[in-house]
Amino acid sequence: MTDTATSNDAGLPDDVRESTFIVMPAFNEAICIEEVVRDVRREYPNVVVIDDGSTDATFDVARRCTPHAVRHAVNRGQGAALQTGIDFALARGARFIVTFDSDGQHRVEDIAAMLAPIVRGDCDITLGSRFLDGSSEIPRSRRFTLRLAVLFTRIVSRVTLTDTHNGFRAFSRKAAMKIEITIDRMAHASELIDQVHHSGLPYREVPVQVRYTDYSLQKGQSSRGAIQIAINYILARVLP
Amino acid sequence: MTLFQYLALLVVVGLLVLTLSAMVRGWATRKEGITWSLVWLLATIAIVNPDLTGTVARRLGIGRGADLLLYCAVVVMLIGFLMIYVRLRRLRRELTLLVRHMAIMEAGSSESK
């Protein structure tokens, strides 16, 4: 299930990089999104920023640094923003789609490692995991919550992964067309795993490094929020 | 009949008239109008003949007619909450699809400029 080959430095062919769309949902990220987008665009020119109805200058900043800036008129949640980004990328002819956090948690170097197995044709979906190698320094409170989420996924969705709530994912065009996120808010991560699992397409986890900064910790989910998310997910599964 | 019965009857008949006029003017669907009219009709019967609810309650093994009405009200309210919640979810879903459509259209028109 894991990709141990370090293909980061191998580099991807230009046509792959140019037909890859990096999808970045952003909600009130005006402070740091410029740096993140510019870093990614040095390697991957097609960055789609979905401003999810931010109340700050996120959209103006995004429009300055990428040609693909999309704006939700009202806030609809991260799941909704991701699906908008995926639809947009597919409409622009993306061959590969990578979802990437806009708060600077993910490393641009890891995108190549995420794409490599898909480009080689080994699988259609890769899911980033911060637990596969020891390179991420994960705060104790987050580690506990994330482990609980892994256990929750194993019981409820019957899928065994090492990191179920990592925003770093890569899809082939075929896989992206099969994904349809309907849970607007944070519980979409569990829904996505269900869809990946039921798509019948091969997937695997790839080690990625997650950088925790004061900024990302403040923007991320608290443990109490996690319980709310779990409840929302269960409700979404049982109600019509 | 007691003063309370007259007052309650007045309210219920008022509601029945409102329901019927809403149905006639097309503000409510035929199904909604008929359902609510039935509810008001049952309420009228219960108000005019309070012993009736007591008889039904005793048949069901519940002591008093007032308790029967209370239990019914709680169940109806819970079903109502669930229906509103389901409708709210559908509305949210539709809103998301609309917002997504607008976002992609808007991005397309600004790119082609």
Side-chain angles (χ1 to χ4, degrees), chain A residues 32-53:
Chain A
C32 70
I33 195 159
E34 181 156 12
E35 199 189 329
V36 179
V37 173
R38 287 199 199 285
D39 276 355
V40 176
R41 287 201 69 213
R42 256 176 236 128
E43 299 284 328
Y44 304 88
N46 290 307
V47 171
V48 185
V49 174
I50 306 94
D51 166 28
D52 190 19

Side-chain angles (χ1 to χ4, degrees), chain B residues 11-68:
Chain B
V11 171
V12 170
V13 169
L15 286 167
L16 184 63
V17 171
L18 278 179
T19 305
L20 290 175
S21 79
M23 194 167 68
V24 169
R25 292 180 200 194
W27 294 346
T29 63
R30 192 190 254 283
K31 199 172 120 192
E32 283 168 343
I34 290 172
T35 309
W36 283 107
S37 299
L38 272 177
V39 171
W40 306 137
L41 225 60
L42 283 174
T44 311
I45 295 169
I47 291 165
V48 175
N49 189 0
D51 297 336
L52 191 67
T53 53
T55 314
V56 176
R58 273 189 298 281
R59 285 273 168 78
L60 291 170
I62 303 166
R64 297 184 308 167
D67 288 340
L68 175 72

Side-chain angles (χ1 to χ4, degrees), chain A:
Chain A
M1 292 283 282
T2 62
D3 188 42
T4 44
T6 49
S7 37
N8 311 34
D9 45 351
L12 296 163
D14 283 351
D15 67 303
V16 170
R17 286 193 295 108
E18 277 155 25
S19 55
T20 298
F21 279 63
I22 313 293
V23 169
M24 262 191 232
F27 178 60
N28 291 343
E29 303 276 10
I31 303 168
C32 70
I33 195 159
E34 181 156 12
E35 199 189 329
V36 179
V37 173
R38 287 199 199 285
D39 276 355
V40 176
R41 287 201 69 213
R42 256 176 236 128
E43 299 284 328
Y44 304 88
N46 290 307
V47 171
V48 185
V49 174
I50 306 94
D51 166 28
D52 190 19
S54 296
T55 49
D56 67 0
T58 300
F59 186 65
D60 295 326
V61 177
R63 213 158 36 160
R64 266 207 316 269
C65 41
T66 177
H68 309 304
V70 186
R71 172 164 54 177
H72 276 179
V74 286
N75 178 255
R76 297 309 302 146
Q78 197 185 58
L82 272 175
Q83 186 62 50
T84 300
I86 291 172
D87 286 0
F88 179 90
L90 286 172
R92 294 291 181 287
R95 281 170 62 207
F96 306 98
I97 293 177
V98 176
T99 64
F100 198 84
D101 282 4
S102 55
D103 60 1
Q105 277 206 310
H106 297 147
R107 299 190 312 167
V108 179
E109 306 92 277
D110 288 335
I111 297 176
M114 292 286 287
L115 283 172
I118 300 176
V119 174
R120 279 200 305 268
D122 294 349
C123 59
D124 280 285
I125 302 151
T126 53
L127 306 168
S129 172
R130 74 201 97 183
F131 290 111
L132 278 179
D133 63 7
S135 66
S136 305
E137 283 169 26
I138 307 159
R140 193 177 283 262
S141 61
R142 288 298 155 93
R143 186 179 287 270
F144 178 71
T145 313
L146 287 162
R147 290 291 192 200
L148 270 185
V150 166
L151 188 67
F152 177 85
T153 306
R154 205 174 289 185
I155 294 166
V156 178
S157 303
R158 292 189 208 90
V159 177
T160 305
L161 294 169
T162 61
D163 189 358
T164 49
H165 287 66
N166 194 322
F168 209 160
R169 307 175 184 98
F171 304 89
S172 65
R173 183 178 178 84
K174 185 167 81 172
M177 284 185 350
K178 283 201 173 187
I179 297 293
E180 197 201 348
I181 302 167
T182 62
I183 302 182
D184 290 337
R185 295 190 293 167
M186 282 299 170
H188 71 271
S190 300
E191 186 189 24
L192 196 61
I193 290 171
D194 291 338
Q195 291 192 2
V196 165
H197 188 63
H198 292 127
S199 70
L201 295 171
Y203 61 93
R204 67 166 62 160
E205 285 191 296
V206 171
V208 296
Q209 192 178 325
V210 173
R211 290 175 299 202
Y212 285 92
T213 59
D214 289 343
Y215 179 75
S216 73
L217 279 172
Q218 178 217 322
K219 292 276 301 191
Q221 293 301 319
S222 65
S223 307
R224 202 154 40 125
I227 295 168
Q228 186 71 50
I229 291 166
I231 293 171
N232 282 343
Y233 169 64
I234 303 235
L235 277 178
R237 270 184 58 148
V238 295
L239 288 174

